[in-house]
Amino acid sequence: MTQVTDQRATAPGAVPSWSSPAPLRPSPDFGPLDTVRGWAVTVFLTAIAAVTRFTNLDYPTDAHTPVFDEKHYAPQGWQMLTGGWVEDNPGYGLVVHPPVGKQLIAIGEWMFGYNGWGWRFTAALAGTLLVLLVIRITRRMTRSTLIGAIAGILLIADGVTFVSSRIGMLDIFMALFVTAAFGCLIVDRDEVRARIARVDAEGRIDASPWGPRLGVRWWRFGAGVMLGLACATKWSGIYFVVAFGLLSVCFDLTARRAYGVRRPWFGTALRDVGPALYALVLIPLGLYLASYWAWFASEDGVYRYAVGNQVGRGGAFSWLPDALRSLWFYSGETLRFHDGLTNSAGNHHPWESKPWTWPMGLRPMLYYYADNGVTGCGQTQCVKAVMLIGTPAIWWIAFPMLAWALWRTTVRRDWRYAAVLVGYGAALLPWFFTLDRQMYYFYAVALAPFLVMGVALVLGDILGPARSSPFRRSPAGTFLPAAPNERHSLGLLAVCIYLGLVIANFVWLWPILTGMAITPGNWHAHLWLPSWR
């Protein structure tokens, strides 16, 4: 992502910050250099992420078969690949998720075959790209390559996204798409302010009491495409459609107010809400329907011909095409299936969890465990396991981060924290309305990018103001060494110590994130909390 500056927001003599809420004009001397350095840092950290995600990707398996819920998605992806891109789920009678995630799994199976590499390849690619996106998004929000790099390091060392990148399930695709949509809206915000700044500089800001028309906004359109792919992966993408739609409109409103538009509220309602509904509602809906292209074209898709069989041909919606009505019925049956998976109906799982445990990862998810015939730990008895678990050094500070973010949002009016809170809230809060349902920690995978971005923002505040140069200008115009900044030095030390703790914590968890052979005592030593057992 390249930077777009807001000239109006830059005050003469302003001191740049590691984590500045106001867009700053890049220095003529250091801007181009930082662009190159920014991409170099991004590529380097993304390469590290790729190494961690792809190494031994085909391990472990259950005797060369999928593990945990891969048993649903890997066969369905293979069915798509070999059977006209239409899947079924004989064990349950219907397919309970939209097709895009399984189509992506099928691409990996087309490349590598029906094996661990095949059904996990695109998940690992998605997890790697997620690191790249988080680096670039955080860098753009903070105008700091350093803080972007910190966010990338945190995500590389996050156990939730790491494990999700190494298993053929849908959640890592969901996290990738909603994060990409978020990033598109951040770029769109910058472009909108740049356009309004040009209008203001030309003296045309008062030409209309509603402010200028903003033209075609391709980044917002891109956000709609990403949200459509998210919804076509899991229905929980709809939460982000609502949240990001409101966020986009709020960005537009605050931009009009910041530039002195006389009637910003009416201007936003008149000129921004309609295009936002098109880009962030209609486009996702169209992408969602398009993802069922193979089902529409099939003769034997589940409930493909529900109209005339399970559904009558008459009624108030008889004017709709039979195919759409059949898809509506199919969706209703899927919803009924999900609604029936409740604790009150006797449906329990030993590793289920509720959303209040997700911010700190208090109830992780055991994906794989073997203790029979396992060797390689140096003792006669060995075990191996893969557990979806958030790195405690990151996830256990979620509530302090959220408290600080709320304070910065409400008191300091810091838009960056507000944006991160919107994404975090969309991933977490809707689940509190269906608490009787069976839920699992892997629903929280979409939390991880926003958690990491929030923590990176906090670390930027700890670092404090940055010096644009290690030198200061003397009254005579010559350069002299700048006075040391004790606060910055202490902040930098604290951040470095924290990042070292995160990395050490990730390394400690590595055996139970990757299925290494360890002793039973070592296995129990990794289970720090009773709720982890």
Side-chain angles (χ1 to χ4, degrees):
M1 298 180 181
T2 56
Q3 291 196 19
V4 178
T5 60
D6 181 348
Q7 299 178 7
R8 182 185 177 97
T10 305
V15 177
S17 151
W18 292 117
S19 185
S20 172
L24 300 177
R25 180 197 297 271
S27 164
D29 296 326
F30 297 102
L33 176 62
D34 188 63
T35 299
V36 174
R37 181 175 58 195
W39 275 111
V41 168
T42 302
V43 171
F44 176 73
L45 291 177
T46 303
I48 293 176
V51 170
T52 61
R53 272 63 179 166
F54 281 97
T55 300
N56 292 329
L57 184 62
D58 58 343
Y59 173 87
T61 61
D62 280 340
H64 306 290
T65 64
V67 302
F68 193 60
D69 275 6
E70 284 184 329
K71 290 182 172 67
H72 299 300
Y73 308 120
Q76 289 174 15
W78 188 253
Q79 281 183 315
M80 287 181 163
L81 187 62
T82 58
W85 293 94
V86 178
E87 78 275 32
D88 60 36
N89 194 13
Y92 291 91
L94 77 165
V95 180
V96 296
H97 290 297
V100 161
K102 289 161 285 186
Q103 291 169 350
L104 292 173
I105 291 173
I107 292 173
E109 293 173 334
W110 170 72
M111 296 172 64
F112 298 99
Y114 190 71
N115 53 51
W117 267 95
W119 61 68
R120 294 172 184 167
F121 175 79
T122 48
L125 180 62
T128 302
L129 293 176
L130 185 60
V131 172
L132 183 149
L133 286 176
V134 166
I135 294 170
R136 302 305 296 180
I137 293 168
T138 306
R139 180 181 182 272
R140 173 172 282 271
M141 288 195 298
T142 61
R143 272 53 179 182
S144 169
T145 296
L146 175 61
I147 304 302
I150 288 173
I153 292 170
L154 292 175
L155 196 64
I156 290 171
D158 167 47
V160 168
T161 50
F162 173 77
V163 173
S164 298
S165 302
R166 295 171 55 83
I167 191 165
M169 292 171 58
L170 307 181
D171 305 279
I172 194 65
F173 302 122
M174 177 74 179
L176 175 69
F177 292 139
V178 299
T179 304
F182 181 78
C184 287
L185 292 182
I186 298 301
V187 181
D188 177 70
R189 176 191 181 275
D190 282 356
E191 289 206 343
V192 163
R193 289 188 168 239
R195 293 180 188 184
I196 298 180
R198 285 194 293 270
V199 172
D200 184 50
E202 294 168 2
R204 296 186 291 110
I205 199 70
D206 292 325
S208 167
W210 308 316
R213 300 181 186 276
L214 298 175
V216 178
R217 294 163 60 175
W218 289 109
W219 283 104
R220 187 172 62 179
F221 178 87
V225 171
M226 292 297 107
L227 289 172
L229 293 173
C231 292
T233 300
K234 298 188 82 169
W235 281 357
S236 50
I238 191 66
Y239 305 144
F240 292 90
V241 170
V242 175
F244 288 173
L246 294 174
L247 179 65
S248 178
V249 172
C250 286
F251 280 165
D252 295 342
L253 173 62
T254 55
R256 292 183 185 276
R257 291 184 64 188
Y259 284 88
V261 172
R262 281 175 287 166
R263 301 187 64 186
W265 288 87
F266 192 79
T268 301
L270 181 67
R271 293 185 167 172
D272 299 324
V273 172
L277 289 173
Y278 163 74
L280 301 177
V281 177
L282 291 183
I283 293 300
L285 177 61
L287 260 293
Y288 175 81
L289 293 176
S291 71
Y292 281 93
W293 61 271
W295 182 87
F296 284 124
S298 71
E299 294 293 330
D300 57 354
V302 177
Y303 294 127
R304 173 60 184 85
Y305 293 99
V307 175
N309 293 296
Q310 291 88 352
V311 181
R313 295 189 177 277
F317 296 98
S318 58
W319 54 276
L320 285 173
D322 287 352
L324 288 179
R325 294 183 65 198
S326 295
L327 182 60
W328 182 261
F329 176 81
Y330 179 9
S331 302
E333 292 298 299
T334 302
L335 181 61
R336 188 174 297 111
F337 169 83
H338 284 297
D339 286 344
L341 293 176
T342 60
N343 298 146
S344 59
N347 294 295
H348 297 278
H349 190 281
W351 288 97
E352 66 180 300
S353 61
K354 298 301 180 183
W356 58 76
T357 70
W358 298 345
M360 292 181 63
L362 297 180
R363 183 59 173 165
M365 192 88 197
L366 186 63
Y367 280 171
Y368 175 85
Y369 181 84
D371 58 3
N372 186 21
V374 179
T375 60
C377 70
Q379 294 189 13
T380 56
Q381 186 177 3
C382 304
V383 302
K384 56 183 180 180
V386 174
M387 177 173 276
L388 182 75
I389 187 168
T391 305
I394 301 173
W395 287 73
W396 285 7
I397 64 170
F399 287 117
M401 182 278 288
L402 292 172
W404 181 253
L406 285 169
W407 184 84
R408 292 283 300 190
T409 299
T410 56
V411 177
R412 300 296 297 273
R413 300 295 192 268
D414 193 326
W415 70 269
R416 304 159 309 149
Y417 282 99
V420 169
L421 285 174
V422 168
Y424 191 95
L428 176 65
L429 296 180
W431 299 102
F432 283 89
F433 293 98
T434 56
L435 289 177
D436 191 33
R437 270 195 54 188
Q438 274 188 334
M439 299 182 195
Y440 307 98
Y441 187 41
F442 56 76
Y443 293 3
V445 174
L447 276 178
F450 301 101
L451 170 65
V452 161
M453 286 187 273
V455 172
L457 291 177
V458 173
L459 295 178
D461 290 340
I462 292 173
L463 281 174
R467 293 291 179 262
S468 58
S469 170
F471 299 93
R472 58 182 173 88
R473 187 184 297 272
S474 72
T478 60
F479 286 96
L480 300 173
N485 186 328
E486 183 177 354
R487 177 174 176 266
H488 168 65
S489 298
L490 290 176
L492 182 60
L493 177 62
V495 170
C496 290
I497 291 173
Y498 172 73
L499 290 178
L501 177 64
V502 168
I503 294 170
N505 198 180
F506 180 63
V507 171
W508 165 256
L509 291 173
W510 183 271
I512 67 170
L513 300 176
T514 58
M516 286 180 59
I518 55 178
T519 66
N522 198 355
W523 161 243
H524 289 291
H526 281 83
L527 305 180
W528 289 355
L529 301 179
S531 60
W532 291 11
R533 299 177 183 274

